[in-house]
């Protein structure tokens, strides 16, 4: 599969691009915001496309055309306001869903947040962030795309263990970003993840094993 | 119809409650945030229920049970942050849709904003607000409810003229809040507004005439 990664300069995105680049069965196209980022990736041998999540759907469609799958792992981050949470994490995400549909790309994986599907379990300090993720998830479920929603727990920068736990509902716990990326790679062509969402934390099984028994 | 008004202390909401109270064919139940607001309404002869848009769906379902229609004209307003826009204008609205579905109330009218359905026409200064309205509208369209989405232009406090223009798409213009409320009252049981959205500005026809030729 040629995988189109949105949020490729993010902390999960960087792991994901690297893992896909090293993968025998996949190639990667990284979406970035500007030419400098594209040139930096190109220097590492990664194909890159420049586009803006705050721009029109047509521009997003154009850059992802010809790819087989889209992964959305972008986010406005903690240093911008809740207005950007609405425009990037929600509207930006949904625009890429519409772009994928328009480009005839069927497979779409979205990185969400643990328990985003249950309002009563949203993190009180950032309820608005969980609301944005919640509605991005729901719009994807209501789309025609063959989706997978990955809802990781607290994200760590430490090296991955390669072992995860994945289930529809899990108690909040932690997981290294490297393992989130591994789980996305394993989910790409795993039919047991099609049209499903799952919570994700560190555990005792390889991503491949864990996803087969969702 | 017994009409449940959410946002009854807002500027459109106050007109709407008054008009429904004076209407021969309808009665009104006003949702408010606290007991003091409820008592003030009761003193004016208006039935009121206390509930919180940031609370659970179950509480919203309980207070609206037995009503025949829901009107959502609440908003977090300009003095709170975009986090509240997400939690009130989007999530609060969708929770009342879920509550209406759970309570077996079929008819639901949502006050949105002119051109919220077209991203390219969102007001640049408050794009995040338009994004919140956009997704509340889309969630309603994807619901099982018999909806009407009313998308007024710039809102004025001057007295209404009783004359409006309503169409799927209109150039941005203005309309007194009193006329928005009149249009909602006229739309309640007008079959030509069922499962439709329309832009709304001041014009040359009565609400009843304008809605019949949508």
């Amino acid at each position: 599969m040629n995988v189109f990664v949105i949020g490729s300069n993010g902390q999960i995105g960087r792991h994901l691009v690297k893992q896909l680049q090293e993968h025998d069965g996949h190639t990667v196209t990284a979406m970035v915001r500007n030419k400098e980022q594209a040139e930096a990736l190109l220097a590492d041998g990664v194909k890159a496309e420049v586009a803006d999540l705050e721009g029109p759907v047509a521009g997003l469609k154009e850059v992802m055309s010809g790819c087989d799958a889209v992964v959305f792992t972008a986010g406005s981050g903690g240093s911008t306001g809740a207005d950007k949470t609405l425009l990037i994490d929600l509207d930006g995400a949904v625009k890429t869903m519409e772009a994928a549909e328009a480009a005839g790309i069927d497979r779409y994986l979205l990185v969400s947040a643990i328990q985003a599907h249950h309002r009563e379990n949203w993190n009180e300090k950032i309820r608005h962030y969980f609301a944005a993720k919640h509605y991005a998830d729901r719009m994807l479920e209501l789309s025609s795309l063959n989706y997978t929603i990955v809802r990781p727990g607290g994200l760590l920068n430490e090296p991955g263990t390669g072992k995860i736990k994945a289930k529809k509902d899990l108690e909040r716990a932690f997981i290294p970003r490297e393992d989130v990326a591994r789980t996305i790679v394993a989910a790409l062509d795993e039919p047991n993840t099609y049209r499903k969402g799952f919570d994700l934390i560190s555990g005792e099984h390889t991503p491949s094993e864990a996803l087969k028994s969702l």
Side-chain angles (χ1 to χ4, degrees), chain A:
Chain A
M1 281 181 155
N2 186 8
V3 183
F4 191 79
V5 177
I6 301 161
S8 56
N9 260 309
Q11 297 191 78
I12 292 173
R14 285 177 199 192
H15 285 292
L16 183 59
V17 167
K18 189 163 173 283
Q19 291 172 22
L20 287 168
Q21 205 185 3
E22 292 167 355
H23 196 283
D24 285 340
H26 302 304
T27 56
V28 60
T29 304
M31 181 175 129
V32 291
R33 268 184 304 243
N34 59 53
K35 232 175 74 173
E36 291 68 37
Q37 292 173 327
E39 282 164 1
L41 281 163
L42 206 64
D44 288 337
V46 178
K47 188 179 169 197
E49 294 278 1
V50 178
D52 181 2
L53 284 172
E54 295 190 64
V57 172
L60 297 165
K61 177 196 165 189
E62 196 183 317
V63 291
M64 65 174 71
S65 286
C67 290
D68 307 299
V70 171
V71 178
F72 186 94
T73 180
S76 58
S79 62
T80 57
D83 54 337
K84 290 294 180 189
T85 309
L86 260 162
L87 293 174
I88 301 292
D89 301 68
L90 174 53
D91 194 39
V94 176
K95 284 195 280 192
T96 65
M97 297 169 201
E98 293 171 16
E101 284 177 329
I105 302 171
D106 184 50
R107 185 80 177 117
Y108 188 105
L109 292 89
L110 178 64
V111 178
S112 179
I114 194 164
Q115 289 293 301
H117 54 316
H118 288 144
R119 290 187 185 103
E120 64 273 26
N121 295 332
W122 292 356
N123 183 333
E124 279 303 320
K125 286 180 197 156
I126 46 169
R127 281 191 73 80
H128 69 282
Y129 171 76
F130 274 78
K133 301 307 281 181
H134 178 81
Y135 287 100
D137 295 359
R138 285 177 73 170
M139 291 303 296
L140 182 55
E141 289 166 351
L142 291 164
S143 78
S144 66
L145 296 164
N146 179 14
Y147 68 83
T148 299
I149 300 167
V150 181
R151 298 185 300 250
L155 298 166
L156 306 172
N157 277 333
E158 60 194 48
T161 63
K163 298 295 176 66
I164 65 153
K165 186 170 189 177
K167 271 199 154 187
K168 184 157 187 278
D169 288 291
L170 288 170
E171 289 281 324
R172 186 177 155 79
F174 293 87
I175 183 166
R177 289 181 167 87
E178 189 178 355
D179 287 335
V180 176
R182 286 203 187 289
T183 305
I184 293 167
V185 174
L188 274 169
D189 51 8
E190 169 51 60
N192 196 41
T193 68
Y194 293 174
R195 296 197 71 83
K196 282 184 192 167
F198 56 85
D199 286 351
L200 175 65
I201 58 176
S202 287
E204 296 179 342
H205 297 280
T206 66
S208 174
E209 289 164 356
L211 297 181
K212 277 187 173 54
S213 59
L214 269 182

